[in-house]
Amino acid sequence: MNESRRAITILGSTGSIGLSTLDVIARHPDRYRVVALTAQQNVPELARQCAQFGARYAVISEPTLVGKLRQALDDHGCNAEVLAGNEGLEQVASLPETDIVMAAIVGAAGLAPTLQAARAGKKILLANKESLVIAGKLFMRAMKEGGATVLPVDSEHNAIFQSLPQPFEGNLEAAGVERIILTASGGPFLELPVERLPTITPEQACKHPNWDMGRKISVDSATLMNKGLELIEAHWLFNARPEQLEVLIHPQSIIHSMVAYRDGSVLAQLGMPDMRTPIAHALAWPDRIEAGVNRLNLASVKDLSFRSPDIGRFPCLGLAYSAMREGSSMPVTLNAANEIAVEAFLSGQIRFDRISALVERVMERSERNEIHDLDDVMQADLAARTVAMELMRRIS
Ligand code: NAD
Ligand code: MG
């Protein structure tokens, strides 16, 4: 075996980003090898992946599924070691033999193992935006102390990273940057009459016009909460003040984001809407590798259009702006309330238009506390979830 290959742990390998990551890795067996793969509960897919990629560790978050996973691995003739729960996730995020950690768990559940990877000085490919939203300060500090590097995988942040001068040391002024412009497709309901928003079903919300993604981020894209979370993500990643961050609706999802400079220049990254491009970029940076992506043909795309977002139609975007401006525990509250609301919508308990209503009410009712450590994050997260569950019964 070629020992110069970079060793990878994929947190959340059975999800949309996890699958795309494995797709890119499979194209480069000479560059990368898989050390550990993890899933919440999809045993058959996890076992299949471990066998295909020769993983040394298989982590299942749901501890009651350990026996099933052992059996499934046996059936594939795979002798990966089985680990479970948060401990298992944290262990494979910081293994000495792992060079690269793809953080692709969805939601706040991804925070602890991603922080662990930061402390252990790994190269982190960050898809799990919720980690930065709820613990940006802690994450950036842990990275510095651990000597870790973060490469953004979220397509907008990857585009911004590519449009900034390298190396970027976290000082936008020094780099001559005036504004960062995050593009947003506007999701599937950009043109839907507002009075029809209450009738939207989970299936409709999960059918994104340009991207094929996990269910939670699909709903977030439909409410534009995804763009709100991405504002806060950009705030931490690029050390940007709220007034330096702008959102622009661009329905074709070809320009993935832009950076506007003092001299009037605007740099952008363009490409097909396929997450394998930012994943391949982050994996290989500063090299460029084949990602299996269709080439962009602007003549066949024809039109690129733009407009300002309508906060009246998408209140979640306004809520995220306020949470970002307010800081302290508000982004944690915003994210936790949103996770509960999206889950409730997906399971048919609340209407689509109640997602923003629920988040807003939880934010109104929550205490503002300073965030110093992980316990503070967990406390604010739990408090917001508790308020959200109580309120949900009343507004559903
Ligand atoms: P997904 O739902 O398809 O996959 C999530 C993965 O995390 C699965 O492997 C699942 O088993 C695991 N998981 C879920 N809950 C867990 C828990 N409580 N504990 C441990 N593991 C758990 O989600 P996705 O679309 O791949 O998104 C993953 C992350 O990447 C999200 O934070 C999302 O915002 C971000 N992201 C996704 C895309 C995309 O195109 N899908 C684009 C940009 C950013
Ligand atoms: Mg994105």
Side-chain angles (χ1 to χ4, degrees):
M1 279 291 169
N2 178 357
E3 285 309 320
S4 67
R5 293 183 306 165
R6 308 271 279 153
I8 303 185
T9 286
I10 304 178
L11 304 170
S13 63
T14 57
S16 163
I17 293 288
L19 291 171
S20 294
T21 306
L22 287 171
D23 181 280
V24 175
I25 288 173
R27 293 165 196 275
H28 303 281
D30 53 326
R31 289 185 75 113
Y32 306 107
R33 71 188 171 90
V34 171
V35 179
L37 298 174
T38 88
Q40 185 180 28
Q41 51 191 9
N42 189 344
V43 166
E45 179 60 17
L46 180 60
R48 193 198 61 72
Q49 294 177 345
C50 286
Q52 183 186 341
F53 289 90
R56 302 209 21 211
Y57 300 89
V59 185
I60 191 83
S61 293
E62 176 49 59
T64 57
L65 294 173
V66 164
K68 256 195 179 156
L69 178 58
R70 283 216 175 92
Q71 183 60 52
L73 288 167
D74 258 6
D75 294 347
H76 282 283
C78 173
N79 60 3
E81 187 177 327
V82 173
L83 303 171
N86 290 335
E87 268 173 38
L89 291 176
E90 291 185 35
Q91 190 178 330
V92 296
S94 54
L95 286 171
E97 71 174 292
T98 289
D99 304 305
I100 303 174
V101 174
M102 163 56 87
I105 288 175
V106 59
L111 174 60
T114 308
L115 261 184
Q116 202 58 28
R119 291 190 191 109
K122 303 303 182 194
K123 170 174 165 175
I124 301 171
L125 315 188
L126 190 76
N128 176 227
K129 65 192 81 183
E130 295 91 347
S131 287
L132 269 187
V133 169
I134 66 177
K137 202 198 285 182
L138 305 184
F139 181 80
M140 297 310 276
R141 195 200 300 151
M143 267 202 4
K144 215 178 223 171
E145 288 171 3
T149 4
V150 65
L151 275 306
V153 167
D154 212 347
S155 57
E156 296 74 6
H157 305 73
N158 186 269
I160 294 161
F161 181 89
Q162 294 199 47
S163 305
L164 282 169
Q166 291 301 328
F168 173 66
E169 313 281 5
N171 188 336
L172 290 174
E173 316 289 320
V177 174
E178 264 180 6
R179 283 171 306 139
I180 289 176
I181 304 156
L182 288 121
T183 50
S185 69
F189 311 127
L190 187 60
E191 312 290 352
L192 194 80
V194 178
E195 61 277 9
R196 292 201 23 219
L197 291 177
T199 66
I200 289 164
T201 65
E203 283 58 44
Q204 290 168 327
C206 288
K207 217 175 261 156
H208 195 277
N210 307 334
W211 301 94
D212 180 12
M213 308 180 286
R215 284 166 75 76
K216 193 253 176 186
I217 186 177
S218 296
V219 176
D220 286 348
S221 298
T223 60
L224 252 69
M225 180 59 95
N226 183 51
K227 211 49 54 182
L229 299 177
E230 290 182 355
L231 282 169
I232 305 175
E233 184 185 9
H235 164 69
W236 289 113
L237 275 177
F238 306 115
N239 196 21
R241 295 190 306 277
E243 63 275 16
Q244 291 176 305
L245 294 167
E246 240 176 74
V247 172
L248 181 67
I249 302 285
H250 165 45
Q252 297 82 8
S253 299
I254 296 294
I255 296 184
H256 298 303
S257 278
M258 304 181 242
V259 175
Y261 288 84
R262 192 179 289 145
D263 61 3
S265 299
V266 177
L267 300 193
Q269 184 260 356
L270 285 71
M272 295 298 284
D274 186 325
M275 287 307 293
R276 290 176 300 176
T277 293
I279 289 168
H281 172 269
L283 260 175
W285 182 84
D287 293 350
R288 296 273 179 178
I289 57 171
E290 170 60 43
V293 172
N294 287 339
R295 300 313 191 236
L296 175 62
N297 179 342
L298 283 173
S300 70
V301 174
K302 289 197 187 79
D303 296 318
L304 298 182
S305 54
F306 307 94
R307 69 179 95 156
S308 295
D310 173 359
I311 303 240
R313 170 184 283 264
F314 298 113
C316 283
L317 188 57
L319 294 173
Y321 263 118
S322 327
M324 171 169 64
R325 289 209 179 88
E326 212 176 315
S328 73
S329 51
M330 265 309 101
V332 185
T333 305
L334 171 92
N335 179 69
N338 182 57
E339 286 191 25
I340 295 287
V342 170
E343 192 55 50
F345 167 68
L346 283 172
S347 60
Q349 296 173 66
I350 64 169
R351 286 187 345 222
F352 181 79
D353 57 313
R354 297 301 198 198
I355 297 174
S356 60
L358 183 62
V359 175
E360 184 171 11
R361 287 191 204 174
V362 176
M363 285 172 71
E364 280 164 10
R365 281 167 192 234
S366 293
E367 280 179 24
R368 274 74 176 148
N369 292 310
E370 280 312 311
I371 300 288
H372 300 290
D373 53 29
L374 198 53
D375 278 350
D376 296 335
V377 175
M378 293 309 175
Q379 256 178 40
D381 179 272
L382 183 64
R385 283 170 202 266
T386 311
V387 177
M389 300 293 273
E390 268 170 30
L391 285 172
M392 215 174 62
R393 282 187 276 277
R394 285 185 239 163
I395 68 164
S396 53

